[in-house]
Amino acid sequence: MNYRKWMLSLLVLMLFLPLWSPGARAAAVQITIELDGEALVSDVPPYITTSNVTMVPISVISKGLNAGVVWNQNSKTVTITQGDTVLKLTSGQKNAWVNDASVALDTSVQIKQGRVMVPIRFVSENLGLQVLWDQVNKHISLFSNTEPPQSVDPETPTTPTTPTVPTVPTIPTIPGGSTSKEMKGAWISTVFNLDWPSVSSAGNEAKQKQEFDNLLDKLKAVGFNAVFVQVRPSADSLYPSALVPWSKVLTGTQGKNPGYDPLSYMVSAAHSRGMQFHAWFNPFRATTDASTSALASNHVAKAHPEWIVNADGKKYINPGIPEARQHIIDTVMEVVKGYDVDGVHLDDYFYPSNVTFADDAAYSTYNTKKLSKADWRRDNINEFVRQLGEQIHKVKPKASYGISPFGVWRNIKNDSTGSDTSAGVSAYDSMYADVRTWIKQGWIDYVAPQIYWSLSFSTARYDKLVDWWVKEVENTNVKLYIGLAGYKVGASDQKAEWQSGDQIINQLKYNEKYEEVAGSIMFRANDVVVRNPFGLSSLLTFYFKS
């Protein structure tokens, strides 16, 4: 009898051991939040609901995001105000109000232990912030005034190395060298209403036109001769399309007709000023977050959920499905056939970098060439790039077709023909973008690598990367434009070398060393002519016109 009691006690103890184990306690990782690299303090811990929505106390919104917050105890409604944007969320209701538009919610206001909690992603994105969720570390990164690239800056390796005296690249002083450069471009981001149109212009045709005119006038005054405008930010459009819904950046609601054709107006406005207009497409990004509640019924994530892969807090169109690739090509060709654009431009949204991408089923079904998973992914992107180029040039032979990949193709440690860099991400290995093949095969007219690092950043130095890309385009018909990080100048999270406009000017001067560098494209328009840190626009005006 005593033996049975002892065994019963032991079984009960074993049942409760997991609750007491250090591993169980460690699993409860607290969610942390930062805005533009600065930690946001939460007086009570954020938590995740059963529907996968991260909730934070309203103090994070008022103190961290500097938004006005009013809580009405009687109606259980929180009103959040920032600039011209007004959000209203009510406890128990499955929709919220964004200005005058009703938007469906997965989770609205909740009251926990006397605290008012709101969904951080919904609030942040409607206030114009980009939200990135790190599942492993339970960390939320919020970004203002910029769309972060697919991957963060490469980190400097921590492996001890023999100290060496860094060489300083020679900056040529060629009088009037800039005038020979064909391309002086600027990217105009529409996602999150970053550069155009403003959130406050939602549904206001006249205001949106005026804003675009003002932006072009400022860019032209500096000396820019081309704009690369994001016309398909999230599998949607800034033009009337038979295939994809209207973008929400125009009216605040995806699928809602803005009452005019923005793309037609923008092309005409650029050409009337003697500027080129290049239509910029995000190829495989379907959404900027994981929710589908605010998507139009004809958005690809709802119309073809079998094509969608959830990764890195976004939805992607699976490049491994031929029909999905053709769908994207068809959307691009709508613009090529319907508008007098000077070119088609793709950014680096192919496969997302360094995250799990669940495409085993597609690999099993469509891997007819019996390739490894990595080579199969690269082949999918190669086929997309090749087929799109063929169709563009067949319909509009004079249109320029180019791509802006991540600035590092491969590191020299992974490939003896790669660049003298040690980046943690590369276009070839992380995004499966075999840019070298595109260049050698002549599938594209130009390449515009995003070399968003300084002349002194040892992990991925600007000058070394320009040297490498110049060699890649030698003896080909592919032009080389350099993508420059105007958005880093004066940014609070950047080091001393970015705390003046000299970094950009010195990079442009370095480009003059090579005839192969046919110009540059600046990211982003507002960072140069609106934010204008340290008089960058004046420096560029002097440089471009010297």
Side-chain angles (χ1 to χ4, degrees):
M1 187 67 175
N2 290 338
Y3 174 78
R4 284 188 297 185
K5 284 183 178 180
W6 180 83
M7 286 296 294
L8 181 61
S9 299
L10 181 60
L11 286 171
V12 170
L13 178 63
M14 291 175 68
L15 269 174
F16 284 96
L17 268 177
L19 299 177
W20 302 335
S21 68
R25 289 197 300 270
V29 179
Q30 183 171 331
I31 297 170
T32 54
I33 307 172
E34 66 175 33
L35 171 62
D36 293 333
E38 296 291 328
L40 298 184
V41 179
S42 176
D43 53 353
V44 296
Y47 63 88
I48 300 175
T49 68
T50 55
S51 56
N52 251 355
V53 176
T54 304
M55 307 294 289
V56 299
I58 55 176
S59 61
V60 169
I61 308 302
S62 60
K63 296 177 182 178
L65 306 188
N66 294 318
V69 176
V70 175
W71 169 248
N72 187 317
Q73 179 64 30
N74 293 329
S75 63
K76 300 292 190 294
T77 298
V78 62
T79 301
I80 300 169
T81 306
Q82 191 174 72
D84 295 325
T85 303
V86 179
L87 314 178
K88 290 187 177 182
L89 301 87
T90 301
S91 178
Q93 292 190 4
K94 294 187 176 181
N95 68 295
W97 287 94
V98 180
N99 293 334
D100 296 323
S102 178
V103 179
L105 286 178
D106 292 320
T107 303
S108 188
V109 176
Q110 293 187 350
I111 313 296
K112 292 292 183 182
Q113 298 178 340
R115 298 300 184 112
V116 180
M117 312 292 288
V118 294
I120 182 65
R121 180 180 290 276
F122 174 83
V123 172
S124 298
E125 290 185 347
N126 278 285
L127 294 181
L129 302 177
Q130 161 74 302
V131 183
L132 295 183
W133 166 245
D134 183 341
Q135 173 66 29
V136 175
N137 298 305
K138 298 292 187 291
H139 182 72
I140 298 171
S141 298
L142 306 176
F143 297 87
S144 63
N145 300 321
T146 185
E147 179 186 7
Q150 280 219 63
S151 50
V152 297
D153 289 350
E155 294 183 358
T156 304
T158 55
T159 306
T161 56
T162 303
T164 57
V165 178
T167 58
V168 179
T170 302
I171 308 298
T173 54
I174 304 174
S178 63
T179 59
S180 65
K181 298 307 180 185
E182 176 184 347
M183 174 58 66
K184 303 181 187 75
W187 276 293
I188 296 179
S189 294
T190 60
V191 68
F192 305 116
N193 300 92
L194 289 176
D195 290 323
W196 181 88
S198 69
V199 173
S200 63
S201 74
N204 188 330
E205 175 184 347
K207 187 174 183 180
Q208 290 178 359
K209 289 179 176 179
Q210 182 182 33
E211 287 178 351
F212 193 75
D213 287 342
N214 290 342
L215 185 56
L216 287 188
D217 288 340
K218 291 177 180 178
L219 290 169
K220 183 176 174 60
V222 170
F224 289 99
N225 59 18
V227 289
F228 294 73
V229 181
Q230 195 174 28
V231 301
R232 183 183 185 272
S234 300
D236 49 16
S237 67
L238 274 75
Y239 54 91
S241 170
L243 300 172
V244 298
W246 284 104
S247 175
K248 72 174 183 179
V249 304
L250 296 166
T251 63
T253 302
Q254 190 178 83
K256 185 176 180 180
N257 191 329
Y260 75 113
D261 185 342
L263 180 53
S264 178
Y265 183 82
M266 291 189 291
V267 171
S268 177
H271 288 170
S272 69
R273 290 165 173 79
M275 303 175 77
Q276 294 180 22
F277 186 98
H278 296 256
W280 163 19
F281 295 81
N282 291 98
F284 291 94
R285 182 174 69 187
T287 66
T288 55
D289 57 46
S291 175
T292 61
S293 60
L295 299 180
S297 60
N298 63 329
H299 187 276
V300 64
K302 287 188 173 181
H304 290 284
E306 72 278 10
W307 294 353
I308 301 300
V309 175
N310 293 315
D312 194 30
K314 305 180 184 73
K315 293 185 182 296
Y316 283 82
I317 300 172
N318 191 341
I321 300 175
E323 294 87 348
R325 296 198 300 266
Q326 186 58 50
H327 167 76
I328 300 172
I329 291 173
D330 291 342
T331 64
V332 174
M333 293 310 297
E334 274 191 316
V335 170
V336 174
K337 294 175 182 177
Y339 297 87
D340 185 24
V341 295
D342 297 287
V344 168
H345 179 80
L346 304 181
D347 59 22
D348 58 343
Y349 270 89
F350 300 110
Y351 284 91
S353 60
N354 291 359
V355 298
T356 300
F357 195 82
D359 58 352
D360 286 348
Y363 177 59
S364 176
T365 303
Y366 297 106
N367 184 25
T368 57
K369 299 179 183 178
K370 307 301 180 184
L371 302 172
S372 68
K373 173 71 81 70
D375 286 339
W376 172 76
R377 286 178 173 177
R378 279 185 282 271
D379 187 63
N380 294 331
I381 302 302
N382 283 349
E383 284 298 294
F384 172 77
V385 169
R386 180 184 63 81
Q387 291 172 8
L388 177 56
E390 287 177 352
Q391 292 198 36
I392 291 171
H393 290 134
K394 181 179 179 181
V395 172
K396 192 170 288 187
K398 293 184 179 180
S400 180
Y401 169 47
I403 298 177
S404 179
F406 185 71
V408 177
W409 176 72
R410 294 195 90 185
N411 295 305
I412 196 167
K413 67 179 180 180
N414 302 115
D415 189 319
S416 61
T417 66
S419 54
D420 184 13
T421 53
S422 52
V425 170
S426 69
Y428 183 91
D429 298 293
S430 306
M431 300 168 187
Y432 304 95
D434 186 7
V435 188
R436 171 175 284 172
T437 293
W438 310 344
I439 294 171
K440 299 305 180 186
Q441 295 297 325
W443 292 341
I444 55 178
D445 298 313
Y446 69 86
V447 63
Q450 300 169 27
I451 309 182
Y452 289 167
W453 306 292
S454 73
L455 286 154
S456 57
F457 184 57
S458 59
T459 303
R461 230 171 67 179
Y462 178 88
D463 56 309
K464 289 185 176 182
L465 283 165
V466 170
D467 297 347
W468 186 89
W469 284 102
V470 164
K471 291 179 181 178
E472 285 299 295
V473 301
E474 280 181 349
N475 302 315
T476 73
N477 292 321
V478 176
K479 293 181 179 180
L480 174 61
Y481 306 141
I482 305 298
L484 299 175
Y487 74 96
K488 285 189 173 181
V489 178
S492 60
D493 60 340
Q494 297 301 317
K495 295 182 179 178
E497 64 264 33
W498 291 103
Q499 300 309 315
S500 81
D502 292 343
Q503 182 66 223
I504 291 293
I505 300 302
N506 285 335
Q507 290 181 0
L508 287 168
K509 288 180 179 179
Y510 187 82
N511 295 349
E512 295 175 15
K513 181 178 177 179
Y514 296 107
E515 291 184 1
E516 288 84 357
V517 180
S520 61
I521 312 174
M522 199 75 62
F523 188 83
R524 299 179 287 119
N526 272 0
D527 283 298
V528 176
V529 297
V530 176
R531 188 167 61 89
N532 188 23
F534 303 109
L536 178 59
S537 63
S538 296
L539 292 173
L540 286 169
T541 301
F542 180 79
Y543 175 80
F544 284 150
K545 295 180 179 179
S546 63

